[in-house]
Each structure stands twice: as C-alpha cells, then as structure tokens.
Amino acid sequence: MAKLIGNVNPKALRELTITITEEEVKANIDKISQIYQRKAKIQGFRPGKAPLELVRKVYEKEILLDAQDEAIKTKIYDEIKARKEEVVSEIYIKDRKDDENGITVTVEYEAIPTFLFPNLGSIKVQKKIKRVSEIDVEDEIEKYQKKLGKLVPVNRESKEGDYLIVDYKEIENGKVTKTRPNLTLQISPETINPDVLDKFLNKKKGDTVEIDFIDQDKNKPIKLTYVIKEVAELQLPELNDEFAKSLGYENLEKMKEEIREYLIKQNEKASEDELEWQIIDEIYNRVQFELPRSLVEEKITRIAQSFRYDPKNEEVRNSFRRIAEDLVKKEIILKNYIDQEGLEATEEEITKAIEEKAKIYRMDSQTYRKELEKRGLMDDVVDEILRNKAMENLKNAVKVEVIIE
C-alpha cells in the first residue's frame, strides 16, 4: 500500500478553532462594500449609484459583520484544505469569542475518516460458488409455469397451496373503511401470516373468514372479513416446446440451457457480492473508523425514496439504517484505497463504460456522452470506474479460498 497523504484520522466528527485578526477583517471591507453599493437603495440616488463612502457610512455595521463572516469563512476553508479533509456535512459554529486579539471561532463538522490499511495479504476470505443443479433449473421453469398458469375452481374444501377468490372488507368501529372485491389469496405461509393461516383451511365457497386484531398505530380494534367466492387450484401449462416458444425460446431444450446459463451468472454475481462484503467487513474490523452520521442519514433518505417510502417516518428510517451504514462503510473504504493508491480512470475505461451504459438505454455512445456532460454526470462515471477498480484490487490482494457447494 502507498502511504497516506495527509493525517490519519479515523474519526468522522471534527473540530477546528481559528482566530482572525482586525487586519484580516479589514481586507474584506472593500469587497463587501462594493457588494452593498450594487444593491443599496439610498435616498437621492438611483439603485447602485450611491458613492462608495456614503454606502460604507450608511451600512457601516452590516458591512463590518459581513466582512467578519467572510474572513471567518475563508480561514475555516483554508484550514480544512490544509488538513486535506473532505467535509461531508454542514459546518456548525460551536463557539465564538470577540476580544482585543481578534475573533476566535470554534466549528464542528464531519469529514471522511482516513486510516492506514492493514496487511491485506493477512486477510483470509471464502468465495462460495454454488453449482446449478437440474432441480434449480426445474424450479426456475416452474416459476414461469406458475406465471402462465390458470386458476381452476374446485368443488371441495380448501387446503394449503390452494387459491381463494374473496371479497375483502376492513371494518373499524362498525364502519367499512376499506374493500377489495375479487381479491386473490394463496393459502401459503409466504403470503398469509402463519398465525392465522389455519383460518383459511377447510373452507368452501360461501364461507366467511373473520380476523380480529388491534391496530398498534391507531390503538383501535379492526375486523377483517373474507367472503369466499371460489376455492381454486393453479393449473400449470404443459412443459413442452410450445410452452418454451410462448416465452420466446427456440424449444424446451434451448430454454433449459439458457435458464441454466442465467442461473450460473446469478450465482456468480451472488458469490462475488458475498466475497466483496466479506473483504469490506474484514478491513473495517481491523481499522474501526467512525461512520459520518450525515452520510448515513442521507443514504437512508435515498434508499427510502427509491422504495417509495416516506423518508421522514422514523420506523422506515430505522429499518434501512443497517444497510445504509454498510453502504457508507464500503464507500469510505474504497475512497481511502483510491486516494492512497492514486487510482485513475483512463480515457479508454471511460469510453468503454459509456458505451456499455449507452447500450442499456439504446442510445448512441457519443449522444449519451454529450448528455452526461450536459447534466454534469461525467464525474459519476469516473467514480464508478474507480470504485470497481479499487474493489478488484482488494480482491486480488487478499487470500481467497474457493469453495464449490
């Protein structure tokens, strides 16, 4: 590993104290005064035409305060730049003291933690590769069969695995608050709460299932009613060449081959993902840096929005907190590696990445590149290349034991 450029600081929360002198404030007076002059509305002069000295006299206190703020802000950013810190939060003023020596300000902010990597060769991880069996292929084909299957009514009592066509009602304080006619339910632990699954067994057309519970949010009793209109079972289409052709395959044999290849790729991706997270966890356990709270909270918001959940809901935020922390952890580790190794993206790598993305959106690569440049997204392309390159380097640096399952 290359040596870290700058200070090693595994803490995210930082504190900085600076002092500005009277001379540093005065150095900003002219610039601030000219800004006020352009906006000033002083009786007897058109806007922006009042003499500079008059503007300074009228707005003396305001100009002084703004000049102080500008001097403080400039010095803070200069000090942070000198520290080689990447700030990821707002900068909050924690304390301010004015005396004869100047103005002393203490600020608090979060920055990307920095650390030295452990001996990567000492890290041992396992890469588990799952074989694709005939049963796996058959299970995948059955999923397609179920999607194209037809519900056929049966004249018997319901059993697990059957489907019920029901009229659903939700009743609160004797009033119907929600209805869903012709709702289809499968009697399965994956779709019905196992605690009430038995209520749907041994039922016939015309029967009613009632479930009472307390709504924890409203703290009110709720009654759910399901009037059974049909008991049905899923009739699967016959597995033959015609079935395969209906899904766009040449024949049944080709369908099995392509599904096998798809499952192999899926297993390889899952194996690589698991391997990468093992490496990230191993590195983190050895260096133990602090996660910036601001980055975690921002990541939670983005995840919630991507799933169309309310990001302001505390329960929703807590449900995504662990995955957000893991993602931030990974980003920080990869960023430290990129910086310490001085990784760069070549023009060839950038062009290749853009061509691959353009194919996904069915666009010409040059047109797609111009669109990225127009929207200021080229840095995102480079960042993705660097993260992928860093992860590949880490995988090559650790000791990997391959296990075929």
Side-chain angles (χ1 to χ4, degrees):
M1 287 292 301
K3 288 187 177 179
L4 182 66
I5 299 172
N7 297 323
V8 174
N9 191 343
K11 295 289 185 182
L13 189 62
R14 312 285 172 88
E15 193 174 279
L16 171 67
T17 300
I18 57 104
T19 299
I20 58 167
T21 63
E22 186 178 349
E23 288 71 25
E24 289 172 309
V25 174
K26 286 180 179 178
N28 286 281
I29 292 291
D30 284 344
K31 181 174 71 173
I32 301 299
S33 298
Q34 288 168 7
I35 293 172
Y36 270 80
Q37 184 185 33
R38 289 194 293 269
K39 299 178 180 180
K41 293 181 181 179
I42 298 176
Q43 190 174 359
F45 297 92
R46 283 181 297 165
K49 298 298 182 180
L52 187 60
E53 288 304 317
L54 179 60
V55 171
R56 283 179 176 171
K57 184 176 180 181
V58 173
Y59 295 100
E60 182 179 4
K61 290 182 179 179
E62 292 87 345
I63 290 172
L64 177 61
L65 290 174
D66 285 358
Q68 290 174 349
D69 289 344
E70 184 65 24
I72 290 169
K73 184 168 64 174
T74 299
K75 195 152 192 177
I76 287 171
Y77 283 112
D78 286 347
E79 288 294 324
I80 289 174
K81 185 178 179 180
R83 288 184 174 191
K84 294 184 171 62
E85 293 178 335
E86 184 174 338
V87 177
V88 293
S89 71
E90 293 185 14
I91 298 174
Y92 300 95
I93 294 179
K94 190 177 179 181
D95 186 46
R96 171 172 171 158
K97 293 179 181 177
D98 297 52
D99 55 33
E100 66 276 5
N101 297 319
I103 302 171
T104 300
V105 174
T106 298
V107 295
E108 193 174 74
Y109 56 93
E110 285 187 313
I112 296 290
T114 52
F115 54 87
L116 289 174
F117 277 81
N119 177 10
L120 296 175
S122 68
I123 294 178
K124 297 179 182 179
V125 291
Q126 293 181 337
K127 182 177 181 179
K128 298 178 181 179
I129 302 176
K130 184 182 177 184
R131 289 192 181 95
V132 175
S133 67
E134 286 302 318
I135 294 176
D136 294 327
V137 175
E138 289 171 5
D139 287 345
E140 191 68 20
I141 291 175
E142 189 178 356
K143 292 178 185 177
Y144 289 112
Q145 286 181 286
K146 286 181 177 179
K147 286 181 181 178
L148 297 177
K150 294 181 180 179
L151 290 178
V152 179
V154 291
N155 187 23
R156 58 168 172 78
E157 292 185 341
S158 61
K159 61 182 180 179
E160 190 168 333
D162 281 343
Y163 290 78
L164 300 177
I165 313 300
V166 303
D167 283 340
Y168 167 81
K169 289 182 182 179
E170 195 170 300
I171 302 169
E172 183 180 329
N173 294 329
K175 294 182 180 179
V176 177
T177 57
K178 188 183 294 184
T179 62
R180 287 192 64 183
N182 298 317
L183 176 66
T184 301
L185 292 176
Q186 184 183 15
I187 307 175
S188 164
E190 281 109 31
T191 54
I192 296 177
N193 188 327
D195 293 338
V196 297
L197 183 66
D198 288 348
K199 290 180 177 289
F200 294 89
L201 298 175
N202 305 314
K203 299 297 179 184
K204 290 183 179 180
K205 179 178 179 179
D207 288 348
T208 299
V209 176
E210 294 185 345
I211 299 172
D212 296 294
F213 74 99
I214 301 296
D215 187 317
Q216 298 296 330
D217 294 331
K218 299 178 180 179
N219 195 28
K220 290 182 179 179
I222 304 290
K223 180 185 288 292
L224 309 179
T225 67
Y226 302 81
V227 178
I228 300 173
K229 300 174 74 174
E230 291 287 358
V231 177
E233 59 185 16
L234 186 65
Q235 188 176 76
L236 301 180
E238 188 178 349
L239 192 59
N240 52 29
D241 287 343
E242 291 304 313
F243 171 71
K245 287 177 182 178
S246 72
L247 293 169
Y249 296 96
E250 186 178 332
N251 53 47
L252 183 58
E253 204 55 43
K254 282 286 185 183
M255 178 182 180
K256 290 180 178 179
E257 287 178 16
E258 291 185 36
I259 286 177
R260 176 181 289 278
E261 289 173 5
Y262 165 77
L263 292 176
I264 289 173
K265 288 180 181 178
Q266 289 292 100
N267 287 353
E268 287 175 351
K269 185 180 184 307
S271 175
E272 285 297 314
D273 288 346
E274 184 183 352
L275 174 65
E276 289 180 6
W277 282 112
Q278 281 186 67
I279 294 170
I280 294 299
D281 287 340
E282 288 290 337
I283 292 173
Y284 180 73
N285 290 337
R286 285 166 167 77
V287 296
Q288 289 290 314
F289 54 82
E290 182 183 7
L291 296 180
R293 182 176 174 275
S294 53
L295 285 187
V296 172
E297 296 301 325
E298 180 185 349
K299 187 70 71 176
I300 291 172
T301 298
R302 290 185 179 180
I303 295 171
Q305 289 173 338
S306 70
F307 286 103
R308 298 188 176 183
Y309 287 112
D310 180 7
K312 295 180 181 178
N313 184 296
E314 202 58 35
E315 189 175 338
V316 168
R317 296 190 70 81
N318 287 334
S319 69
F320 290 124
R321 188 166 299 280
R322 177 64 184 274
I323 188 172
E325 289 174 347
D326 284 343
L327 290 170
V328 170
K329 185 192 306 178
K330 184 176 183 179
E331 289 173 3
I332 291 173
I333 287 174
L334 293 181
K335 173 160 181 51
N336 270 268
Y337 186 88
I338 291 166
D339 292 344
Q340 292 180 41
E341 289 296 310
L343 298 185
E344 295 180 351
T346 65
E347 183 56 38
E348 183 181 353
E349 290 169 333
I350 294 171
T351 300
K352 184 180 178 182
I354 290 174
E355 288 174 350
E356 290 174 354
K357 293 280 187 182
K359 286 179 183 177
I360 296 173
Y361 296 107
R362 297 181 181 179
M363 292 176 65
D364 172 73
S365 60
Q366 291 299 321
T367 304
Y368 183 63
R369 181 167 191 149
K370 287 178 181 178
E371 184 65 24
L372 290 173
E373 291 170 346
K374 179 182 175 181
R375 296 170 62 185
L377 297 175
M378 284 297 293
D379 285 347
D380 291 349
V381 175
V382 173
D383 287 345
E384 185 177 357
I385 292 170
L386 293 177
R387 287 194 299 270
N388 291 338
K389 190 181 288 190
M391 197 68 246
E392 285 303 312
N393 286 2
L394 289 172
K395 285 190 278 189
N396 291 330
V398 301
K399 291 181 179 178
V400 180
E401 178 188 4
V402 178
I403 299 175
I404 309 294
E405 296 182 328

